[in-house]
Amino acid sequence: MSSAPQVVAYCHCTDCRRWTGGPVGAFAGFAAGDLVATPELGPSFSCVTGVHRWSCQTCSSPLAATFDYLTGQIYVPLGVLDQAADLKPQIHCHEDARLPWLKITDELPCASGSGREALRSTP
């Protein structure tokens, strides 16, 4: 990671939970031009209209995602970043889809949907 992310966010939506295999996804959002993947990401797949995802072609780990409504940004799961411990989430997205037994106690803002306005307003 050579550039700081524009935003770091939790996502509680069903799609992100299924893709990451966890009860909540956590992602760092970068300017699309700031992310260089080696080897290249390869072809994307889409299970939800407007969402494009990349997984490792060797082990199937989730690697990156783009969202049509967040142009110019690419999101990387925190679990694949060596610097994850330094990247504190700033918002909970899709709070309305949070699993009822998942308790994360923080003072972060919560968006009932995608949080797109907050994610878009990042530098």
Side-chain angles (χ1 to χ4, degrees), residues 59-108:
C59 69
S60 299
S61 292
L63 295 178
T66 59
F67 305 86
D68 287 356
Y69 57 85
L70 295 170
T71 58
Q73 291 180 316
I74 187 164
Y75 286 78
V76 177
L78 291 185
V80 301
L81 296 172
D82 292 337
Q83 303 83 355
D86 300 324
L87 301 174
K88 184 179 176 186
Q90 300 158 300
I91 186 172
H92 289 271
C93 299
H94 291 282
E95 176 66 21
D96 53 329
R98 182 191 293 229
L99 294 171
W101 49 261
L102 180 65
K103 306 298 182 213
I104 299 175
T105 54
D106 58 34
E107 301 297 322
L108 298 179

Side-chain angles (χ1 to χ4, degrees), residues 5-8 29 69-71 73 75 90-91 109 114-123:
Q6 295 178 333
V7 66
V8 180
Y69 57 85
L70 295 170
T71 58
Q73 291 180 316
Y75 286 78
Q90 300 158 300
I91 186 172
S114 68
R116 69 183 72 194
E117 293 307 317
L119 299 176
R120 253 194 233 139
S121 66
T122 59

Side-chain angles (χ1 to χ4, degrees), residues 10-24:
Y10 288 112
C11 185
H12 296 276
C13 81
T14 302
D15 185 49
C16 286
R17 288 197 316 256
R18 287 182 177 154
W19 184 52
T20 62
V24 63

